[in-house]
Amino acid sequence: MPEQLIFGMEVFLNGLMAGVLYALVALGFVLIYKASGIFNYAQGVMALFSALTLVGIMEGQVPFGHLINAIFGTEIHGFGWHVPAFAAILLTMGVMILLAVIVQKCVFRHLVGQEPIILFMATIGLAYFLEGVGDIMWGSEIKKLDVGLPQGINTLIDETTFGWFGYGFFIDNLDIVATVIAALLVTALVIFAQYTKQGRAMRAVADDHQAALSVGISLNFVWVMVWSVAGFVALVAGIMWGTKSGVQFSLSLIALKALPVLMLGGFTSIPGAIVGGLIIGVGEKLFEFAIGPMVGGATENWFAYVLALIFLVFRPQGLFGEKIIERV
Amino acid sequence: MFDAAPSDETLLEVNNIEVIYNHVILVLKGVSLSVPKGGITALLGGNGAGKTTTLKAVSNLLHSERGEVTKGTISYRGDRVQDLDPAALVKRGVIQVMEGRHCFEHLTVEENLLTGAYTRSDGSANVADDLEMVYSYFPRLKERRKSQAGYTSGGEQQMVAMGRALMSRPETILLDEPSMGLAPQLVEQIFEIVKEVNEKEGVSFLLAEQNTNVALRYAHYGYILESGRVVMDGPAAELRENPDVKEFYLGMSEEGRKSFRDVRSYRRRKRWLS
């Protein structure tokens, strides 16, 4: 087998794994968009915030430590304990649910019936607010996150492929775990949205706020529920990205990569977010591998956006998005 | 089987309410009405008379449109209900079918109907029974149960909206403009179903309608609203014979139906304005 093809296969597999991580972020967008028609700009920051909180809790860091020290002249930095990963994840989930309640109570409850663009603006504000709060609460240095997920090269795949092609593929264990978790998450979410009463209520609210109110669906409850679920998805994404590249503020920028994923997959489709993520992941890696050297590299920065642009022209609702129903 | 005639028991009592939108726009200027158990009560009037606002004031959907009841009281079975949220009211048996259908477009017809049962907690077996009940009133919906509601016709969407309300097992349905945008034949069909539901299920209706002719044929009692006030009320049969209603709402004068070509100016002022 030609060497180029074997390399290409490895790039393809790695692209798939990277795509899963994009998809995880995109998933949070889809959930909130489906239920409230809000494009939640803050989703990436939520992933960052959850990762920061998780590290903070695990390390026993005192929230707002810097602020307290600055005001009272004290020198406290940590509680001096370490919380096991599993408990810390549960606690962080509690914080994300609390965040959902606060966001609903303080922001979106007052904006019922407003234009989508106004809701979108509110989420931009929320994003910067949350980034600032995360900074003040836990500090801005880059942190290492280790919740005990396996990392490093998967030796089984390495040896097997070496046996086949005489060349071992490098696949990170973390990527494999991320794929499995993403698959489970998506299955659970699809079942929730399609076949449960609350899921149906969520989709009803997405279609028509007023009508949902009129049949007795509580918008407040549905939105808190959806923001909590989106917070959970953000937490999963935060753990994966944080483990891979450290918890740092650039994490919130990966949210921007979710945009082309959504345009490809469709803003309203949970499976679409996954497929879109995989296409972007594989697409940019293969493009960089095949075309990159000809144009001087760094194509990963723009490839996804160009692909999304082309999609917007020919299929604005994305691959799996709900058709925009317009009756005349 | 229930008796078609309304009983003496009053379910809904609206007492002299005033509604203001956005803190400035006064829409209702003192509307009072009552809905008896088992009756079909019509709320008539032209565009902007305040029919929809009255219904939304009752169902408490005003709040999400920045409207608010500033004066007067609304009570259901004697309890003050104007501070409840819509969900609590649905649980008490009052549900609104909004003007312009408002189906959940991306949900299938059947899913739309099931959302109507959201507030119920009496088990899925009962809900399944009621789904069959709704399909028996609207056989057309059973054929289309798997279609997305957004792709069904206007008449079918009206049926979906009404069926969805029925799924909550209501005692009173606030039905807003069911005839809107429908062919005359279909309007007749929809009103026949309203009458059937009223007689067989004992559901009371408060019905806002511009089509005075049809509404007065099916209702037991009527209120006429003009610029936010009730200007006339009475049993439907009496309203039908009232010369003013005939002239201004039914388009008939003593010489019978007249052509618009002959109309130059109103022959006389409405009596209730003087």
Side-chain angles (χ1 to χ4, degrees):
Chain A
M1 201 177 280
E3 208 169 67
Q4 280 290 314
L5 192 65
I6 293 174
F7 283 154
M9 276 171 68
E10 188 188 13
V11 169
F12 179 84
L13 284 176
N14 273 309
L16 275 184
M17 303 291 166
V20 168
L21 290 184
Y22 292 147
L24 274 178
V25 183
L27 210 54
F29 280 98
V30 169
L31 279 172
I32 291 183
Y33 191 81
K34 255 178 107 75
S36 50
I38 297 173
F39 179 80
N40 179 23
Y41 186 81
Q43 186 67 34
V45 184
M46 276 164 69
L48 166 72
F49 184 79
S50 63
L52 278 175
T53 309
L54 182 59
V55 176
I57 291 174
M58 279 175 74
E59 302 292 317
Q61 214 183 332
V62 179
F64 300 107
H66 291 286
L67 199 64
I68 294 170
N69 291 347
I71 294 174
F72 301 107
T74 49
E75 277 296 332
I76 47 168
H77 290 292
F79 294 116
W81 67 58
H82 284 265
V83 181
F86 185 69
I89 289 175
L90 284 184
L91 279 173
T92 310
M93 194 50 226
V95 172
M96 295 314 279
I97 291 174
L98 189 69
L99 181 72
V101 174
I102 292 172
V103 164
Q104 179 56 29
K105 277 246 158 29
C106 298
V107 185
F108 291 107
R109 201 172 53 128
H110 304 284
L111 296 177
V112 173
Q114 293 284 16
E115 298 288 316
I117 186 72
I118 293 180
L119 299 172
F120 171 62
M121 300 281 273
T123 66
I124 295 184
L126 183 68
Y128 286 105
F129 177 77
L130 208 55
E131 200 172 321
V133 170
D135 193 348
I136 298 174
M137 252 174 113
W138 306 110
S140 56
E141 62 275 13
I142 297 176
K143 297 181 184 67
K144 205 171 151 333
L145 175 64
D146 184 9
V147 290
L149 293 177
Q151 263 178 295
I153 184 168
N154 185 304
T155 43
L156 184 68
I157 291 178
D158 188 36
E159 278 161 19
T160 317
T161 49
F162 189 82
W164 289 350
F165 311 116
Y167 170 78
F169 285 9
F170 184 95
I171 305 284
D172 198 322
N173 270 323
L174 180 66
D175 288 338
I176 296 172
V177 173
T179 309
V180 172
I181 289 177
L184 289 176
L185 202 59
V186 169
T187 315
L189 287 175
V190 167
I191 289 172
F192 169 73
Q194 294 296 328
Y195 302 108
T196 67
K197 181 175 161 183
Q198 296 301 347
R200 200 160 49 223
M202 180 185 96
R203 287 184 296 139
V205 168
D207 261 0
D208 195 324
H209 296 178
Q210 280 272 318
L213 270 175
S214 83
V215 295
I217 296 172
S218 158
L219 294 188
N220 274 330
F221 176 74
V222 168
W223 282 341
V224 167
M225 176 179 81
V226 170
W227 278 82
S228 303
V229 176
F232 175 64
V233 174
L235 175 61
V236 174
I239 292 174
M240 296 304 163
W241 280 95
T243 311
K244 201 178 170 80
S245 50
V247 180
Q248 49 185 319
F249 278 77
S250 66
L251 205 62
S252 63
L253 293 179
I254 58 164
L256 293 179
K257 262 291 167 52
L259 268 177
V261 170
L262 291 169
M263 286 170 191
L264 233 70
F267 275 89
T268 48
S269 167
I270 292 173
I274 299 302
V275 176
L278 295 181
I279 292 177
I280 294 277
V282 170
E284 67 179 20
K285 289 280 188 304
L286 278 183
F287 191 80
E288 173 74 27
F289 174 70
I291 316 282
M294 294 178 214
V295 295
T299 57
E300 280 184 42
N301 289 334
W302 54 262
F303 174 78
Y305 299 99
V306 173
L307 191 64
L309 205 60
I310 295 168
F311 251 81
L312 276 184
V313 173
F314 295 106
R315 206 177 154 81
Q317 75 268 35
L319 282 174
F320 295 88
E322 280 164 349
K323 282 226 185 79
I324 301 155
I325 297 180
E326 214 148 350
R327 304 182 81 249
V328 187
Chain B
M1 190 76 84
F2 288 83
D3 194 1
S7 68
D8 295 334
E9 193 186 343
T10 304
L11 284 180
L12 177 70
E13 185 91 56
V14 175
N15 192 8
N16 206 20
I17 56 165
E18 211 176 81
V19 168
I20 296 184
Y21 278 105
N22 256 338
H23 301 294
V24 277
I25 308 160
L26 181 63
V27 183
L28 294 189
K29 304 157 186 167
V31 169
S32 302
L33 53 88
S34 64
V35 177
K37 189 173 164 60
I40 301 178
T41 307
L43 201 55
L44 306 163
N47 286 328
K51 305 184 297 291
T52 297
T53 303
T54 308
L55 292 196
K56 286 194 170 166
V58 173
S59 63
N60 281 317
L61 289 175
L62 272 184
H63 186 70
S64 60
E65 298 185 334
R66 306 186 163 246
E68 119 184 82
V69 179
T70 49
K71 271 186 202 156
T73 55
I74 301 169
S75 56
Y76 192 77
R77 287 184 169 276
D79 301 329
R80 184 186 156 103
V81 291
Q82 67 215 66
D83 312 307
L84 297 177
D85 60 4
L89 215 59
V90 172
K91 278 187 200 140
R92 285 185 185 224
V94 185
I95 192 163
Q96 176 163 14
V97 178
M98 285 198 290
E99 181 180 8
R101 276 79 83 166
H102 282 273
C103 294
F104 302 120
E105 291 185 334
H106 293 104
L107 272 62
T108 65
V109 166
E110 187 154 301
E111 285 174 332
N112 260 281
L113 295 178
L114 288 173
T115 56
Y118 181 79
T119 51
R120 289 172 57 165
S121 47
D122 54 350
S124 53
N126 286 324
V127 171
D129 282 352
D130 282 351
L131 195 61
E132 282 311 311
M133 179 266 289
V134 168
Y135 283 143
S136 73
Y137 284 110
F138 304 101
R140 179 81 189 124
L141 294 187
K142 191 160 192 172
E143 294 166 30
R144 306 223 49 182
R145 61 205 283 181
K146 299 287 175 210
S147 326
Q148 276 197 354
Y151 288 118
T152 58
S153 74
E156 286 159 356
Q157 288 190 5
Q158 184 62 45
M159 294 178 188
V160 168
M162 287 168 63
R164 189 174 66 189
L166 275 177
M167 287 300 291
S168 73
R169 273 261 156 228
E171 188 175 40
T172 304
I173 294 182
L174 311 168
L175 185 54
D176 198 355
E177 207 82 39
S179 75
M180 195 172 91
L182 300 184
Q185 208 184 1
L186 211 50
V187 172
E188 213 65 43
Q189 205 184 330
I190 294 280
F191 272 85
E192 278 298 333
I193 294 169
V194 168
K195 191 176 161 208
E196 218 182 312
V197 170
N198 171 251
E199 286 170 1
K200 287 194 190 155
E201 312 289 329
V203 175
S204 317
F205 282 87
L206 177 59
L207 172 79
E209 186 54 72
Q210 290 200 26
N211 190 335
T212 314
N213 183 12
V214 180
L216 283 182
R217 268 191 290 123
Y218 286 92
H220 302 118
Y221 199 88
Y223 291 85
I224 296 180
L225 235 60
E226 259 178 36
S227 345
R229 284 193 182 88
V230 175
V231 291
M232 192 185 250
D233 68 288
E238 276 175 33
L239 287 182
R240 265 204 310 267
E241 298 306 321
N242 181 293
D244 278 342
V245 175
K246 266 183 160 173
E247 169 136 8
F248 295 111
Y249 286 95
L250 300 174
M252 289 186 291
S253 63
E254 274 111 46
E255 307 97 63
R257 226 180 163 89
K258 64 186 171 193
S259 160
F260 272 100
R261 224 179 305 162
D262 308 326
V263 180
R264 286 213 178 71
S265 62
Y266 280 124
R267 206 155 48 83
R268 54 156 207 267
R269 273 168 63 79
K270 294 170 184 170
R271 278 178 208 143
W272 56 68
L273 289 181
S274 55

